[in-house]
Each structure stands twice: as C-alpha cells, then as structure tokens.
Amino acid sequence: MGKKLSEMSLEELWELFPIYLTEHQDCWSEWYEEEQNILKNILPTRLGLQIYHIGSTAIHGIWAKPIVDILIELPDAAALVMAKELLVKNDYICMSESDKRISLNKGYTEKGFAERVFHIHLRLLNDKDEIYFRDYLNEHAKIAEAYEKLKFNLWKRYEHDRDQYTAEKTEFVNKYTSLAKQNLRVQSLSKTNF
C-alpha cells in the first residue's frame, strides 16, 4: 500500500502531479459549471459568496494545465473559515491557509490526477485580481498568446517544481493585471464625465 498524500514530501507530490499543458478543451467551462453547482449545494447562500472561473482554463483558446481554478469570494473571515470547513467535510483537500486566503484541491489521488481536477481559492471581498487578468487576456488575443508561449517555455524546465513555475509567471501576470485595472479605472472615469 502506498503513502497517503498527506504523508508525501513536496518533491514526491510534484513527481506524482507534474505540470503538463494540454490544448484548450471546451469541456473545461462545462466542468466549471458543474462544479459551481456542487459548490453552491455545499455552501449556504447566507455566506454571501460569489463564484468565478479563473486561471488558464478560463482563457479562450490557450493551452493550459487541465485544472479548473475556481475563486470563491466571501464577505468576511468567519465565512472564509466556514466555507473551508464545509468543503473539507465534502472531500476537498486544504492545501494552504492564511487569515485572508484558503486554497483547496479536488481530484488529487494517491495514483495521480483524477479525470477532473479543481483548485478552489477562497478569498475575501475584492481579492480577485485573477478575474482582471482573465478578462484582459480574453479581450487581447495577442497577450493571451504571449502568456501561452511563456507557459510553454517554463513547462519542461519546471515540470516537477510547481512553485518555481508559478513564480516565473508572476511578473507577466502582475503586469497585465495592473494594466487591466488601470483600463477599468479609465473607462469608469470616462463614463462619469458624461
């Protein structure tokens, strides 16, 4: 009998769950919709949550890790903790936790990835920069292609080092998230001047 995921070192986990990219799949949006419904059934509406599809699977046409990222925005720390507890009771695995952010996974097994894999990001209100990045790339195909190219360049180099793979993308992500927010402020000011 093999080790449980909780008993594995980070290196063992990265070996079992390597980074790999695949061509964009239309089914990812369907997986998101189905998982969103599951999440809505687990989490009470009184928590005042908003649910969003984020990450590369939410960006049209680009290659991505076949992992659907879902951001759940919650009104306060108590709701954040309650949501985490409910999700853990429903077989989501808590991967990291702070006062303002909690990350959970679903679809990781001792034998590797399940057919469907999800990363759930619990956040407090207005901590949703990933949405700005997603929307900007969906509106700017050339930037989305540049992001895809960056990910291809990092893929094999960091196939078994998820932290470094993510770190190497940070400058690009921050640049276009900032630009997206700036564009929204300009649009908002333009509308108020009429």
Side-chain angles (χ1 to χ4, degrees), residues 58 64-65 72 79 115 124:
K65 296 188 304 287
I72 302 176
E115 180 185 347
L124 295 176

Side-chain angles (χ1 to χ4, degrees), residues 70 72 74 77 79-85 87-88 93-104 120-124:
I70 298 175
I72 302 176
L74 296 147
L80 197 75
V81 170
M82 181 185 289
K84 176 207 137 187
E85 290 170 357
L87 291 172
V88 168
I93 301 167
C94 185
M95 299 304 292
S96 66
E97 182 173 0
S98 72
D99 293 342
K100 297 179 181 179
R101 291 180 165 196
I102 300 173
S103 295
L104 302 105
I120 310 299
H121 307 271
L122 302 180
R123 302 283 182 77
L124 295 176

Side-chain angles (χ1 to χ4, degrees), residues 16-130:
L16 184 59
F17 303 109
I19 290 170
Y20 71 96
L21 303 178
T22 184
E23 195 171 0
H24 186 85
Q25 306 292 316
D26 291 336
C27 65
W28 291 336
S29 60
E30 295 166 18
W31 291 5
Y32 163 73
E33 293 294 334
E34 291 170 12
E35 195 67 18
Q36 178 188 42
N37 289 331
I38 290 168
L39 292 164
K40 285 180 177 178
N41 286 325
I42 293 171
L43 302 171
T45 55
R46 65 182 164 80
L47 289 180
L49 53 90
Q50 295 292 319
I51 303 176
Y52 307 94
H53 185 186
I54 60 168
S56 293
T57 61
I59 299 169
H60 308 302
I62 69 168
W63 282 57
K65 296 188 304 287
I67 297 171
V68 175
D69 286 277
I70 298 175
L71 188 147
I72 302 176
E73 191 180 25
L74 296 147
D76 56 44
L80 197 75
V81 170
M82 181 185 289
K84 176 207 137 187
E85 290 170 357
L86 290 168
L87 291 172
V88 168
K89 285 180 186 174
N90 283 276
D91 300 323
Y92 292 81
I93 301 167
C94 185
M95 299 304 292
S96 66
E97 182 173 0
S98 72
D99 293 342
K100 297 179 181 179
R101 291 180 165 196
I102 300 173
S103 295
L104 302 105
N105 295 346
K106 180 180 176 184
Y108 287 74
T109 76
E110 284 81 10
K111 295 180 181 181
F113 291 114
E115 180 185 347
R116 295 183 185 193
V117 180
F118 300 93
H119 288 178
I120 310 299
H121 307 271
L122 302 180
R123 302 283 182 77
L124 295 176
L125 280 177
N126 299 316
D127 182 4
K128 55 184 179 182
D129 281 357
E130 294 87 348

Side-chain angles (χ1 to χ4, degrees), residues 1-9 12 16 110:
M1 184 174 210
K3 287 183 180 179
K4 293 182 179 180
L5 294 178
S6 60
E7 299 169 340
M8 292 183 186
S9 69
E12 289 172 316
L16 184 59
E110 284 81 10

